[in-house]
Amino acid sequence: SALLGAIAGVLVADYYFVRRAEIRVRDLFVADGAYWYVRGFNPVAIVALILGILPNVPGFLAQIGAVENVGEFWSRLYTYAWFVGFVISLISYGLLTAITRKPISR
């Protein structure tokens, strides 16, 4: 759930907030379209995904027994891993996109 929440946050932010629920179908299938990034990967999405996953890592490691004591805060936070990853990824993707985005040609 820690991974899926972060993925969902990026997808929801991109679809609803960045693109405002508008899809250009032709651009889905061309390499130079609106959905093409650096070698096919959106670096902003990857950074937002990592930011959404990172707070859940200590709790995950404690849960699988790889680490003995990570603290009550991290263990409790991990119980809400999907929501934590979703919110952090959603916000960070939206902010990073607003900062780094070039204007869309219509």
Side-chain angles (χ1 to χ4, degrees), residues 18-20 22 24 101 103-106:
V18 173
R19 303 193 191 277
R20 303 194 194 281
E22 182 181 316
R24 290 195 246 165
R101 189 170 194 191
I104 295 176
S105 59
R106 298 211 181 251

Side-chain angles (χ1 to χ4, degrees), residues 26-101:
R26 182 190 106 37
D27 286 352
L28 290 171
F29 302 101
V30 294
D32 61 344
Y35 307 105
W36 185 259
Y37 296 93
V38 180
R39 294 185 178 165
F41 294 96
N42 183 347
V44 171
I46 293 171
V47 169
L49 180 70
I50 291 169
L51 290 174
I53 293 169
L54 278 178
N56 297 314
V57 171
F60 172 74
L61 293 175
Q63 185 73 28
I64 64 169
V67 177
E68 295 261 339
N69 187 9
V70 294
E72 181 66 25
F73 172 78
W74 298 109
S75 294
R76 186 171 292 265
L77 185 71
Y78 184 68
T79 62
Y80 303 102
W82 192 93
F83 300 103
V84 170
F86 179 83
V87 170
I88 291 173
S89 290
L90 181 116
I91 292 170
S92 61
Y93 183 79
L95 291 174
L96 290 170
T97 300
I99 292 168
T100 62
R101 189 170 194 191

